[in-house]
Amino acid sequence: MARITPEALRSQRWFGRESMRTFNHRSRMAQLGYAQEDYRDKPVIAILNTWSEINPCHSHFKARAEEVKRGVWQAGGFPLEMPAMSIAEPFQKPSPLLYRNLLAMEVEELLRSHPVDGAVLMGGCDKTTPGLVMGATSMGLPFLYMPAGPMLRGNFNGQTLGSGSDMFKHWAEVRAGTLPLEQWEGVLSGIARSPGHCMTMGTASTMTSAAEALGLTLPGAASIPAPDSRHALMAAASGRRIVEMVWEDLRPAAVLTADAFDNAVTAVLALGGSTNALVHLIAMARRAGVPLDLERFDAIARATPLIANVRPAGRYLMEDFYYAGGLPAMLNRLRDRLALDAPTVNGKTLGENIADARVFDDDVILPLERALVPEGSLAVLRGNLAPDGAVIKPAAAEPQLRRHTGRAVVFENYAELQARIDDPDLEVDATSVLVLKNAGPLGGPGMPEWGQLPIPKKLLQQGVRDMVRISDCRMSGTSFGACVLHVAPEAYVGGPLALVASGDVIELDVPARRLHLHVDDAELARRRAAWRAPPPRYERGFGALYAQHVLQADAGCDFDILVRPGATAEPEIY
Ligand code: FES
């Protein structure tokens, strides 16, 4: 393999030939306590650490960064840890997706503006994976992704608990009056009991697994539980490998091909992954110049069995998945559906990386003939209600709801939904279709995860546990139900969803991939003429920048200025 010389290192522009400016850089490195032999002629590796005291999923990252550094030193590189925005899913409001592109911008500019030759990206909590990868892809330096790893299984009163899923399930029982509040409080202390990201197949596990299937991590990295000692070993190995990647000049463009994205989509579908993956993978692909769209997800879904028996689609959790062989073993089961010659960051192909991976528990990683869902675990819908697409996880819905026609019960926004959903006088029954407007990329803003609209209390008490629900927002990967999500264009910009009124008949037909509003065109035209755009939500600041540039869900919610073609010059150094 060809290797670059020390003179070709990008960091030489800061530390190389003698000048007043390089003198200043070297004197400041001395101020930091580094002798010139620490970094001279060595790859400078940025360790982008999304640790934060408010992010429980990354609470082990201080220790892990030290382990990555150890690997970088061992391999003859020079590590520099740099903090990057953490995006703590549980805490960041109004929606963490609002800030994904800000993290991506920060990552790109951190790498561009500093003397960096390569990077290890440390993330895991939902939006951190796409944000880090999008920014580093746009910068184009060699990088490797180090996933946080899932937390341990939840446990309370001898019961196994899964992040998100069990919260939603138990809260529905509290609202139905079948679970006492004291027990609900007990669930709180047992549902998240170690460092690491959510351990169901939520967005975090979905996206870290997607990163591995893309070839951006060391093999097996995404499945290792955060507290497992093998996670620390993986961190150090990531540090060693990135140094070699710099010498090999192995850049993201060589890894992030159309084949790699097809592999990632296949992995996500076989895992029963979060619908958030559509938004993120489309955004990541477009940063790499790969024109991934919703139809590609639907096409791959029709040929991909769901074989990871992990909640919310299945029974187990990520810890079980790891002990059963983890992602490499699952991918090996799917090898006939993968582009095996796709290159990866360890210098081998995906096929080489998974060739010897074995499944140790057939009940957790199912044989293809025993798939939880033989095909179509995700479906892309079109129709006059969603001209630019919408998405549903049919497997997460009660079977009779996959073909359903009912009358709309409309909520103009989430505040109205919260105020009215449990009103005993709400005109709703089990056949109704709940519709939430103004919760999309701009309306939410940031497409909050409200898509699993709550079942009205009076229906819960009648035993109803699923209904057709339609919105322009997202849904947590740990959620379930007949929820039609990501309706595009969103209501806030005047998409057809904005025109739906209570009592309208809506038809959902998943096998036909159809979402239709049974209101004639003349009436829709009349409603459109009467529709008024809401006033801008932000007058200044990042919110205003976001509102000006964000794209709709079917285009990945990236900023138009970040995804458009064009080169960004290296900084001048005077
Ligand atoms: Fe961080 Fe779920 S809260 S991954």
Side-chain angles (χ1 to χ4, degrees), residues 288-302:
V290 173
L292 185 64
D293 61 17
L294 292 177
E295 267 54 44
R296 191 70 190 142
F297 278 84
D298 196 85
I300 295 176
R302 289 175 191 265

Side-chain angles (χ1 to χ4, degrees), residues 327-346:
L327 190 70
M330 189 196 81
L331 293 179
N332 204 11
R333 284 230 151 129
L334 295 164
R335 56 186 301 114
D336 293 347
R337 290 167 171 80
L338 297 170
L340 295 173
D341 54 0
T344 76
V345 290
N346 74 342

